[in-house]
């Protein structure tokens, strides 16, 4: 890519880009002309499938690995993105894990695992984004509508996402004068393979019926919300949590 091409192309890093929502975000941003770094932690094959689909559609993408909670690995990821594409304009933190159990039965190592990925990982990547996003840039973190729904077994997970919301709203105000927006998207029930796994058709139908729109969300629904916040029409949205859940909360 030439220097002129680099300066004209917006560049995004999507953590967890091999996942259902992360992959949809990567493809949606690429379809709108953004070069995308598809980050992955455990599935190089799925990440490459996302990259291949973007390349086949005429977009620009590369898959890169790393532990989101490791500042050295994430610094290397940002370095690689800047070296390949010339800079970074958008960072989307979809990487996260969800381990469910009632509070009385939650193993502390499970809580610590979620905290490391969901909270520390988001903090590490947000810190780098705050330092390195170009003017006009956008950081989009991921919360969950569970923070409002208060469903049993979700306490530990919701606690990590409450922390993500807090850091997101504070960071938006700390970046005054930088021309960088900071927001969070909070999906509701979304039909990803991970969400659907192990659920009966009856339960899936009941969860879909909870929305006034009468269905589960799709990864593309969530990706559209992210693309809005990351694009020119979302520039006046800053320091907000956007609940993308079809009206369930």
């Amino acid at each position: 890519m030439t220097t002129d091409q680099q300066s004209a192309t917006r560049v995004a890093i999507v953590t967890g880009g091999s996942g259902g929502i992360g992959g949809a975000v990567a493809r949606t941003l690429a379809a709108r002309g953004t070069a995308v770094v598809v980050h992955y932690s455990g599935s190089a094959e799925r990440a490459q499938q996302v990259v291949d689909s973007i390349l086949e559609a005429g977009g620009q993408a590369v898959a890169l690995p790393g532990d989101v909670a490791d500042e050295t690995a994430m610094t290397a990821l940002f370095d690689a993105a800047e070296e390949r594409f010339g800079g970074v304009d958008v960072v989307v933190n979809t990487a996260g894990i969800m381990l469910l159990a009632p509070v009385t039965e939650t193993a502390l190592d499970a809580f610590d695992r979620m905290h490391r990925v969901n909270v520390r990982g988001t903090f590490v990547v947000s810190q780098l984004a705050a330092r390195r996003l170009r003017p006009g840039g956008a950081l989009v973190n991921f919360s969950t509508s569970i923070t409002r729904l208060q469903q049993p077994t979700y306490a530990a997970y919701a606690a990590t996402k409450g922390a993500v919301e807090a850091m997101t709203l504070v960071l938006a105000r700390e970046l005054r004068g930088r021309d960088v927006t900071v927001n969070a998207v909070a999906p509701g029930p979304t039909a990803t393979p991970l969400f659907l796994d192990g659920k009966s058709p009856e339960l899936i139908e009941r969860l879909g019926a909870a929305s006034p729109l009468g269905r589960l969300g799709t990864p593309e629904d969530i990706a559209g919300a992210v693309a809005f916040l990351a694009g020119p029409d979302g520039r006046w949205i800053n320091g907000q949590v956007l609940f993308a859940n079809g009206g369930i909360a």
Side-chain angles (χ1 to χ4, degrees):
M1 185 182 295
T2 68
T3 302
D4 288 344
Q5 287 173 319
Q6 289 177 337
S7 62
T9 302
R10 281 175 70 82
V11 179
I13 294 173
V14 180
T15 71
S18 63
I21 290 177
V25 169
R27 287 188 291 268
T28 298
L29 293 176
R32 301 187 183 197
T34 303
V36 182
V37 173
V38 179
H39 159 269
Y40 66 93
S41 177
S43 181
E45 182 179 356
R46 288 203 307 267
Q48 191 58 49
Q49 289 172 354
V50 174
V51 168
D52 289 344
S53 68
I54 290 171
L55 297 178
E56 289 168 6
Q60 302 178 64
V62 62
L64 294 173
D67 176 356
V68 290
D70 183 329
E71 64 272 28
T72 300
M74 289 300 98
T75 297
L77 184 78
F78 274 75
D79 289 345
E82 291 177 352
E83 181 177 354
R84 185 178 183 95
F85 295 119
V88 180
D89 303 283
V90 176
V91 172
V92 185
N93 267 314
T94 77
I97 60 173
M98 181 172 64
L99 305 171
L100 303 182
V103 170
T104 56
E105 299 173 21
T106 298
L108 292 180
D109 63 342
F111 182 86
D112 290 342
R113 285 175 60 199
M114 283 192 288
H115 190 278
R116 187 177 190 279
V117 177
N118 298 355
V119 181
R120 179 186 168 95
T122 298
F123 191 91
V124 166
V125 176
S126 294
Q127 185 179 69
L128 286 164
R131 293 170 176 170
R132 299 173 70 162
L133 281 171
R134 295 187 286 201
L139 169 62
V140 183
N141 289 327
F142 262 66
S143 180
T144 172
S145 290
I146 290 295
T147 57
R148 289 188 176 180
L149 296 175
Q150 296 96 40
Q151 291 183 354
T153 74
Y154 283 86
Y157 174 69
T160 68
K161 292 303 187 176
V164 168
E165 290 188 13
M167 73 174 75
T168 298
L169 303 186
V170 171
L171 182 56
R173 286 144 183 86
E174 290 182 347
L175 294 188
R176 175 184 293 272
R178 283 281 309 281
D179 190 25
V180 170
T181 62
V182 186
N183 295 288
V185 172
T190 304
T192 64
L194 180 63
F195 177 83
L196 297 174
D197 184 44
K199 293 182 174 67
S200 67
E202 294 77 16
L203 177 58
I204 293 169
E205 182 178 358
R206 188 164 68 250
L207 291 169
S211 165
L213 298 178
R215 64 173 178 85
L216 294 175
T218 68
E220 289 71 27
D221 290 327
I222 310 307
V226 172
F228 165 69
L229 292 174
D233 292 335
R235 292 306 301 166
W236 195 235
I237 312 299
N238 191 29
Q240 305 297 319
V241 180
L242 176 59
F243 285 81
N245 59 29
I248 63 170

